[in-house]
Amino acid sequence: MLSARSNFASSPAITVSAPVDGRPLGVVSPYPAAAVHALVDRLRGDQPPWRSSGVVGRVHWLTRFRDWLLDNRDHLVELLAAETGRSAAAVVREFRLAIDAVDYHRTHGADFLGAQWTRPPGVPNAAPSLALAHRPCAVTGVLAGWSYPLATALFAAVPALLSGSAVVVRPSTATPLTTRAVLDGWAAVGAPPVLAFAVGPEAGPAIVDTVDSVHFTGSPESGKIVALRAAARLIPCRLDIVGKSSAIVLSDADLECAAVGIALGGLAESGQNCHSVERVYVAASVYDEFVERLTAEVLAFGADEPDDTGAEVLISAAHVEQLGDQVRDALARGATVRTGGAGAGHRFAPTVLTDVAPGAQVLTRQTLGPILPVVRVADVERAVAAANETCGPSASVWTADEAVAAYVAGRLLAARVGHNDVAVHLVPPIFA
């Protein structure tokens, strides 16, 4: 059988650099399509004994894996901070989320996967009863993103492993090192060889073309490609899509509270959270005052941090350029920069844009950066309509009226809507 690491010599190695200072952190070898196919074939062959080990056997190895993660916490957190450019506090939170995910599924695995008995409705079905049993897909592919690379990989891989699937994880080429180190930990504890790693531009398509189910985290554009490719093979596909989360500030809102909350929601972790606020719609009667308050909060954001440069670290220079393109497009359509508006290298200044015209890229395209476009709206109906023009995973409504907040939340297309709060969306209830 073809080795999963053959043909590497034909593809250039991927050098991973630290966003903060550009220093090289490590090198990974990209997997060509043939190597991915061989890897998935090998996983499919190793999966039946893993499935046969039962929930108790699989929980045993997940427990040992959890213990290894805790024993190697300092190294993993340091590596995660280096390759993502995020603060120590932020990556510790991500590490804890990953541990929580492992513990949650370890604890509840027997409940999730145990046989269930039910009796179908209707007189003809009065006698028989049905047993519902869960069967795993042989191999699950996990295509993780560069935002929260550790958590997004384990959020999908752990329940698949628990179910009895073998799993191959493809991290982003921007952040593969922590994922590789974590998956090495699975082998280090002596666990069965049912968790594997593949990276590179050919790895994602090859995984979707060969696995039995796929979980994708990333942009809407890439998600559509994955969904169509999976649909062509009629395999299960789960998409965790980043969108354009919105905030709506109504005329009776506590403007100070709204400005603080929205600044946090848009700038925390450099705006590179999938629930970050990326659009702000404000009632015309309080627009000017809110903009002044928000601008002041953005100017002060992070000012008490040591070695503050006045700019947020982003994942790559290419991403900084994309944010610059969005700002330039908004300015060409008549927008005004209240603060920030530019970046260089891996850094982009926290930015407030006003008078942003409908159709501007900063309102319609994924940003994942520290930019807050603020749009004036006539009333709540216009705000809801504008927010729904582009979907996002989260939204927030800022108003003193709980009934109005409930009304707006019921009409927004976002999956989660907060009332006078965005912080809850930074750690969404993923296990509900």
Side-chain angles (χ1 to χ4, degrees):
M1 183 175 68
L2 178 67
S3 168
R5 291 186 175 269
S6 64
N7 296 335
F8 278 171
S10 63
S11 301
I14 299 169
T15 299
V16 182
S17 301
V20 172
D21 53 20
R23 73 185 189 280
L25 298 173
V27 175
V28 293
S29 298
Y31 281 59
V36 174
H37 296 164
L39 176 60
V40 172
D41 285 345
R42 195 270 298 166
L43 287 169
R44 187 169 282 111
D46 288 331
Q47 184 265 343
W50 175 248
R51 170 183 169 177
S52 298
S53 66
V55 175
V56 173
R58 297 193 290 270
V59 166
H60 165 76
W61 289 112
L62 286 171
T63 301
R64 293 196 61 180
F65 180 52
R66 186 277 315 268
D67 293 344
W68 182 91
L69 292 173
L70 292 172
D71 289 342
N72 291 272
R73 171 189 177 277
D74 292 346
H75 168 67
L76 295 174
V77 166
E78 180 181 0
L79 184 58
L80 183 60
E83 72 172 344
T84 62
R86 291 154 58 211
S87 68
V91 296
V92 166
R93 285 194 297 270
E94 179 177 352
F95 181 83
R96 289 173 177 168
L97 283 174
I99 293 295
D100 286 347
V102 179
D103 274 336
Y104 178 81
H105 290 95
R106 281 190 326 107
T107 302
H108 296 285
D111 296 332
F112 293 154
L113 300 174
Q116 301 174 19
W117 293 86
T118 184
R119 190 174 299 278
V123 174
N125 297 316
S129 60
L130 297 179
L132 304 179
H134 301 278
R135 297 288 184 264
C137 297
V139 182
T140 295
V142 176
L143 310 184
W146 52 261
S147 178
Y148 284 69
L150 172 60
T152 56
L154 292 186
F155 285 171
V158 168
L161 288 168
L162 176 67
S163 75
S165 290
V167 178
V168 55
V169 179
R170 187 236 59 185
S172 166
T173 55
T175 55
L177 300 180
T178 307
T179 305
R180 183 176 65 179
V182 165
L183 301 194
D184 285 346
W186 180 262
V189 300
V194 291
L195 180 59
F197 168 92
V199 69
E202 295 184 33
I207 286 173
V208 180
D209 288 345
T210 53
V211 298
D212 305 292
S213 69
V214 63
H215 182 118
F216 168 81
T217 301
S219 69
E221 294 77 16
S222 296
K224 292 176 184 178
I225 296 172
V226 171
L228 290 172
R229 206 156 183 148
R233 298 185 57 229
L234 293 178
I235 63 170
C237 176
R238 178 176 178 179
L239 304 176
D240 186 1
I241 299 297
V242 176
K244 297 285 293 181
S245 293
S246 59
I248 295 175
V249 182
L250 300 181
S251 58
D252 64 341
D254 181 328
L255 297 184
E256 181 178 2
C257 179
V260 171
I262 291 171
L264 171 66
L267 304 182
E269 301 194 42
S270 302
Q272 296 181 118
N273 183 293
C274 59
H275 292 269
S276 295
V277 177
E278 296 197 355
R279 298 173 293 151
V280 187
Y281 299 98
V282 184
S285 60
V286 295
Y287 182 86
D288 292 336
E289 181 181 354
F290 174 78
V291 167
E292 293 299 327
R293 290 178 180 271
L294 179 65
T295 302
E297 289 296 331
V298 171
L299 283 168
F301 191 85
D304 57 345
E305 297 178 1
D307 302 321
D308 179 56
T309 64
E312 298 293 290
V313 176
L314 300 185
I315 192 65
S316 68
H319 191 50
V320 169
E321 184 62 26
Q322 291 173 12
L323 266 59
D325 288 343
Q326 290 191 5
V327 171
R328 287 186 286 273
D329 171 76
L331 295 178
R333 297 169 185 260
T336 300
V337 174
R338 297 299 299 263
T339 184
H346 285 250
R347 296 176 181 272
F348 201 92
T351 298
V352 176
L353 297 174
T354 57
D355 305 314
V356 183
Q361 294 178 14
V362 75
L363 296 177
T364 60
R365 295 188 182 180
Q366 176 185 338
T367 299
L368 282 179
I371 300 177
L372 287 167
V374 190
V375 180
R376 190 192 311 263
V377 290
D379 52 41
V380 65
E381 298 299 334
R382 300 286 181 87
V384 170
N388 283 342
E389 287 176 357
T390 302
C391 294
S394 299
S396 60
V397 184
W398 301 80
T399 174
D401 191 323
E402 292 187 7
V404 171
Y407 169 77
V408 173
R411 299 195 53 204
L412 289 172
L413 298 179
R416 303 177 181 90
V417 181
H419 177 207
N420 293 342
D421 191 7
V422 297
V424 67
H425 302 143
L426 299 179
V427 185
I430 57 172
F431 304 131

